[in-house]
């Protein structure tokens, strides 16, 4: 019962310095971890789809619409303006195409070329696409125009993320 262990001054100083150093290190590392993990813990406001108008506004002739998308990348937030070519067929099916050419990223326009009417035309390298976004074989693009996800809800047309167009190229 009388075995009381005494700590030497050197051992006490080692314990005190290690405890103080650990406390200071934890104080410096905790904000760094919080800074790195915080964007993952934040909730995202809004949905992934943007309203671009009423489905009744669109018909068989492609109509270009512009819309703003809020983008958040970590701590950097920005608002980008995007556009889409939208058509609606006789069955009421809506197709929204990205205007970005799959060759080198130029912007395509509908019915712009007098030599190739009723086609999307890329003036940069003479790329052409059909009304459904299919690339015309023998022109520079090697893939069809991308599509936006579409949804009709409460009388409004919403566009979502861009996805690859599954349609193959066609002879033109």
């Amino acid at each position: 019962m009388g075995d009381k262990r005494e700590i030497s001054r050197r051992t006490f100083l080692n314990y005190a310095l290690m405890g103080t150093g650990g406390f200071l290190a934890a104080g410096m590392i905790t904000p760094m971890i919080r800074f790195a993990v915080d964007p993952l813990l934040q909730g995202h406001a809004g949905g992934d789809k943007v309203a671009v108008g009423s489905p009744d506004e669109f018909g068989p002739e492609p109509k270009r619409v512009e819309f703003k998308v809020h983008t958040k990348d970590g701590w950097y937030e920005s608002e980008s303006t995007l556009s889409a070519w939208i058509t609606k067929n006789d069955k009421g099916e809506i197709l929204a195409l990205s205007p970005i050419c799959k060759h080198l990223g130029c912007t395509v326009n509908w019915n712009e070329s007098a030599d190739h009417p009723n086609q999307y035309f890329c003036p940069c390298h003479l790329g052409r696409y059909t009304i459904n976004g299919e690339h015309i074989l023998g022109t520079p693009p090697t893939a069809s125009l991308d599509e936006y996800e579409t949804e009709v809800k409460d009388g409004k047309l919403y566009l979502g993320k861009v996805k690859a167009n599954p349609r193959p190229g066609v002879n033109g």
Side-chain angles (χ1 to χ4, degrees), residues 65-77:
V65 295
E66 291 190 355
F67 55 97
K68 293 189 183 280
V69 175
H70 184 77
T71 308
K72 185 174 180 181
D73 183 14
W75 291 268
Y76 181 72
E77 293 187 38

Side-chain angles (χ1 to χ4, degrees), residues 16-93:
L17 288 175
M18 283 193 299
T20 304
F23 180 76
L24 290 175
M28 290 181 349
I29 290 174
T30 302
M32 290 182 211
I33 292 172
R34 171 80 179 171
F35 183 76
V37 174
D38 190 49
L40 300 174
L41 301 176
Q42 297 295 324
H44 298 290
D48 353 346
K49 297 192 177 173
V50 177
V52 293
S54 168
D56 300 333
E57 297 174 26
F58 306 103
E61 183 77 12
K63 180 179 177 183
R64 185 178 176 136
V65 295
E66 291 190 355
F67 55 97
K68 293 189 183 280
V69 175
H70 184 77
T71 308
K72 185 174 180 181
D73 183 14
W75 291 268
Y76 181 72
E77 293 187 38
S78 65
E79 194 147 303
S80 306
T81 301
L82 300 176
S83 60
W85 285 101
I86 302 176
T87 57
K88 182 167 72 170
N89 65 17
D90 298 337
K91 298 176 187 174
E93 299 169 334

Side-chain angles (χ1 to χ4, degrees), residues 100-132:
I100 307 300
C101 180
K102 298 302 281 184
H103 177 230
L104 289 176
C106 298
T107 303
V108 301
N109 289 308
W110 173 253
N111 213 7
E112 185 177 81
S113 171
D115 296 334
H116 306 288
N118 299 322
Q119 292 181 354
Y120 292 104
F121 180 72
C122 178
C124 297
H125 300 101
L126 309 179
R128 297 182 300 147
Y129 300 89
T130 66
I131 194 167
N132 293 327

